[in-house]
C-alpha cells in the first residue's frame, strides 16, 4: 500500500492500523449532558453509529444484493427522540437486568430487594430513570490491525434503580475492517452480589428501517425449547419444546406465517425467550443463535453469541411513531433478537445463573454478521 505523506511516497505495510473512529457531537440530554456519537466503518460497506447515551446503536448501514446501502435499525435523529415516550428501548444497551423481573422483587443473601414497577405488574429492562439505556456513558474510540471500535464504560452506584452493589460495566462495539459485521462485548464487575443480564435492544428491518412490515422476513432460531410465560410475560419455570407450535423456527420460517396462531400468550405476537441449543463446536467461542433474511433486499443477518437465550420480539407494541428521517415505525415492522439470560432468572434457581459476585467478571459477546442471500434461497 502507498500513502502520500509530506509530498513523499512511502510504503506502509498491508497490516497497517485502521484509523481511530470518527467522533462527533449528538447534542445534549434535557438535563444538559453532552452526548457524543462514534462512527465505525468496515472497508466492505458497513457503517455503525453509536452514541454515549445508553451506549445506543443509532444507525447501522449495510449493503443489499445490489450494493445499495440502507439503515436497518430504528432510532431518532436527536437525543430528544430517545428521551421521548415513543422510545421503546431502540438500539440501547439494556440493563442492569434486561427483560422482566416478577413484581420487581427478588431475594439475595437473605435480603429482599424491591425495584420499580414500570411494566405492570413487573420490572422491565432495568428500571425508570437511571437504567443503563438512559445514562450517559464515557467512551473511548480505538483501532487495531483488524478494525475500529468504541469502548463505553459506566459505574452504576450501589442502590441505583434499587439494585445492590456498585456495578462497573463496559460495552465494546467493534467493526472488523473486512466484511460486514458488528461485535458487541460486555464486561461487568461488582462490589456486592447483584443480578446482571445485559443485551442490545436493536429493532431490525433488513429491508430498511421504516419498511411497512417484518412479517415477510424469514427467521431461523437455534432453539428446540423455550420458556413458557404467565399472562404477565413472566416465565412459569417450565422449559418446553417448540415442536408442533408456532414457535418452531428450527428451520427457516416466514415470521408472519403462524403469528396469529399464537393464542396462548398475552404478548400479542412473538415475545418469547428461546433456549439456545448447546454449542455443537466446543472450540468456538460463539454459538449460532439466529438467522434473519429479507428476500426483497437479499440482506441476511446471522447472530451468534455466548448467551444461553434469545428473546424474539416481533414489535407488537410499535405504534406508528415517527423516527429517523421521518420514517414511520409501524406495528410489527421490526424484530428484536435480544441475546440474554432467561427472563426473571433471579427468581428461578434452575435457570442459568445471573448473580455476579465480587471478584468475578461477567463477560458476554454477540456477533451480528450481515450478508447477502444466494438467489436460490427462498424458503
Ligand atoms: C420485551 C417486550 C417489550 C419490548 C419493548 C422487549 O424486550 O420483550 O415485551 O415490549 O422489549 O420494551
Amino acid at each position: 500500500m502507498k500513502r502520500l505523506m509530506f509530498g513523499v511516497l512511502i510504503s506502509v505495510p498491508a497490516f497497517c492500523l485502521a484509523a481511530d473512529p470518527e467522533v462527533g457531537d449528538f447534542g445534549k440530554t434535557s438535563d444538559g449532558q453532552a452526548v457524543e456519537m462514534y462512527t465505525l466503518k468496515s472497508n466492505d460497506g458497513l457503517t455503525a453509529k453509536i452514541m454515549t447515551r445508553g451506549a445506543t446503536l443509532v444507525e447501522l448501514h449495510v449493503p443489499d444484493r445490489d450494493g445499495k446501502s440502507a439503515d436497518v435499525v430504528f432510532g431518532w435523529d436527536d437525543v430528544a427522540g430517545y428521551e421521548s415516550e415513543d422510545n421503546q428501548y431502540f438500539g440501547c444497551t439494556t440493563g442492569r437486568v434486561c427483560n422482566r423481573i416478577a413484581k420487581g422483587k427478588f431475594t439475595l443473601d437473605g435480603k429482599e430487594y424491591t425495584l420499580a414497577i414500570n411494566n405492570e405488574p413487573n420490572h422491565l429492562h432495568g428500571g425508570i430513570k437511571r437504567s443503563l439505556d438512559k445514562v450517559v456513558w464515557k467512551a473511548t474510540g480505538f483501532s487495531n490491525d483488524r478494525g475500529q471500535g468504541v469502548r463505553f464504560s459506566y459505574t452504576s452506584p450501589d442502590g441505583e434503580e434499587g439494585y445492590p452493589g456498585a456495578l462497573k460495566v463496559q460495552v465494546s462495539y467493534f467493526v472488523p475492517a473486512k466484511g460486514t459485521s458488528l461485535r458487541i462485548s460486555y464486561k461487568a464487575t461488582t462490589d456486592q452480589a447483584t443480578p446482571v443480564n445485559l443485551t442490545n435492544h436493536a429493532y431490525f428491518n433488513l429491508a430498511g428501517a421504516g419498511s411497512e412490515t417484518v412479517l415477510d422476513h424469514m427467521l431461523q432460531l437455534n432453539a428446540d425449547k423455550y420458556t413458557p410465560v404467565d399472562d404477565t410475560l413472566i416465565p412459569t419455570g417450565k422449559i418446553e419444546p417448540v415442536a408442533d407450535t408456532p414457535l418452531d423456527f428450527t428451520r427457516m420460517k416466514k415470521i408472519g406465517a403462524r403469528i396469529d396462531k399464537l393464542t396462548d400468550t398475552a404478548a400479542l405476537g412473538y415475545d418469547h425467550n428461546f433456549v439456545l441449543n448447546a454449542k455443537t463446536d466446543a472450540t468456538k467461542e460463539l454459538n449460532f443463535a439466529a438467522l434473519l433474511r429479507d428476500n426483497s433486499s437479499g440482506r441476511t443477518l446471522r447472530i451468534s453469541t455466548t448467551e444461553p437465550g434469545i428473546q424474539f420480539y416481533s414489535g407488537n407494541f410499535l405504534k406508528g411513531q415517527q423516527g429517523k428521517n421521518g420514517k414511520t415505525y409501524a406495528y410489527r415492522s421490526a424484530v428484536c433478537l435480544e441475546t440474554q439470560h432467561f427472563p426473571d432468572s433471579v427468581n428461578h434457581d434452575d435457570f442459568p445463573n445471573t448473580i455476579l459476585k465480587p471478584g468475578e467478571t461477567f463477560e458476554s459477546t454477540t456477533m451480528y454478521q450481515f450478508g447477502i442471500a444466494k438467489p436460490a434461497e427462498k424458503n
Side-chain angles (χ1 to χ4, degrees):
M1 201 197 286
K2 298 254 164 97
R3 182 188 278 173
L4 196 60
M5 201 184 257
F6 307 119
V8 185
L9 268 183
I10 55 159
S11 278
V12 268
F15 55 82
C16 70
L17 297 182
D20 280 355
E22 269 170 43
V23 52
D25 291 339
F26 193 55
K28 285 197 167 145
T29 60
S30 54
D31 62 0
Q33 297 176 76
V35 176
E36 288 175 332
M37 179 95 101
Y38 283 77
T39 302
L40 310 180
K41 286 187 177 176
S42 85
N43 295 336
D44 295 314
L46 179 140
T47 299
K49 294 193 179 195
I50 311 116
M51 69 161 164
T52 51
R53 181 188 189 265
T56 296
L57 179 63
V58 174
E59 293 177 30
L60 186 59
H61 301 262
V62 284
D64 70 2
R65 64 160 74 83
D66 302 318
K68 204 171 146 237
S69 197
D71 186 356
V72 296
V73 296
F74 283 12
W76 273 279
D77 297 312
D78 54 23
V79 179
Y82 284 92
E83 288 180 336
S84 76
E85 289 280 306
D86 282 347
N87 182 12
Q88 295 167 334
Y89 299 89
F90 293 175
C92 67
T93 296
T94 319
R96 294 183 183 197
V97 174
C98 62
N99 218 313
R100 293 175 174 80
I101 294 181
K103 304 202 165 61
K105 285 204 185 299
F106 65 92
T107 302
L108 195 53
D109 296 334
K111 194 171 162 198
E112 188 179 80
Y113 292 89
T114 303
L115 311 170
I117 306 299
N118 55 340
N119 186 251
E120 277 295 331
N122 302 315
H123 176 82
L124 178 71
H125 293 332
I128 301 182
K129 288 211 162 121
R130 303 286 303 169
S131 46
L132 296 183
D133 56 296
K134 298 187 188 75
V135 297
V136 177
W137 298 54
K138 286 211 167 70
T140 317
F142 63 91
S143 55
N144 57 34
D145 56 345
R146 288 168 299 114
Q148 297 184 311
V150 52
R151 192 173 302 114
F152 296 95
S153 52
Y154 175 68
T155 300
S156 175
D158 179 22
E160 190 165 61
E161 285 293 347
Y163 289 97
L167 186 76
K168 281 193 184 166
V169 199
Q170 232 183 52
V171 183
S172 300
Y173 286 72
F174 186 76
V175 169
K178 232 178 130 204
T180 46
S181 60
L182 170 69
R183 185 184 175 105
I184 309 182
S185 334
Y186 306 82
K187 265 191 186 175
T189 54
T190 182
D191 62 1
Q192 267 184 63
T194 193
V196 178
N197 194 0
L198 302 173
T199 192
N200 180 279
H201 210 299
Y203 285 67
F204 294 102
N205 186 312
L206 297 183
S211 301
E212 239 165 67
T213 185
V214 84
L215 298 182
D216 55 357
H217 280 39
M218 307 292 292
L219 178 69
Q220 183 186 0
L221 295 172
N222 181 24
D224 294 339
K225 295 190 176 130
Y226 76 109
T227 51
V229 289
D230 67 14
D231 56 8
T232 73
L233 302 184
I234 293 293
T236 58
K238 288 189 189 146
I239 292 187
E240 285 186 355
V242 296
D244 303 320
T245 77
L247 300 173
D248 188 348
F249 283 91
T250 50
R251 287 165 186 226
M252 271 292 195
K253 285 270 158 51
K254 198 180 246 184
I255 292 178
R258 298 159 302 164
I259 196 166
D260 292 322
K261 298 214 161 73
L262 286 164
T263 47
D264 60 337
T265 169
L268 311 174
Y270 291 106
D271 197 353
H272 295 74
N273 170 62
F274 289 76
V275 177
L276 292 173
N277 296 336
K279 241 192 312 191
T280 45
D281 184 347
T283 63
K284 294 227 167 92
E285 181 203 7
L286 302 178
N287 188 15
F288 168 55
L291 180 61
L292 184 67
R293 192 176 78 221
D294 166 46
N295 289 333
S296 69
S297 63
R299 290 191 187 89
T300 62
L301 166 60
R302 185 187 165 88
I303 299 181
S304 41
T305 188
T306 54
E307 286 295 318
I310 190 165
Q311 181 86 12
F312 161 37
Y313 167 58
S314 54
N316 316 305
F317 299 110
L318 291 168
K319 49 188 184 183
Q321 54 265 66
Q322 259 199 6
K324 282 176 285 186
N325 299 315
K327 298 267 164 114
T328 300
Y329 298 150
Y331 172 62
R332 294 181 175 172
S333 67
V335 285
C336 300
L337 292 163
E338 307 157 43
T339 53
Q340 58 190 258
H341 278 56
F342 307 167
D344 199 31
S345 285
V346 67
N347 291 311
H348 293 274
D349 289 342
D350 46 355
F351 284 180
N353 174 51
T354 54
I355 304 300
L356 180 69
K357 297 194 174 130
E360 297 173 346
T361 302
F362 167 89
E363 281 184 284
S364 164
T365 297
T366 296
M367 184 82 175
Y368 304 83
Q369 276 172 297
F370 292 88
I372 301 298
K374 296 190 189 80
E377 288 176 335
K378 277 276 175 216
N379 293 302

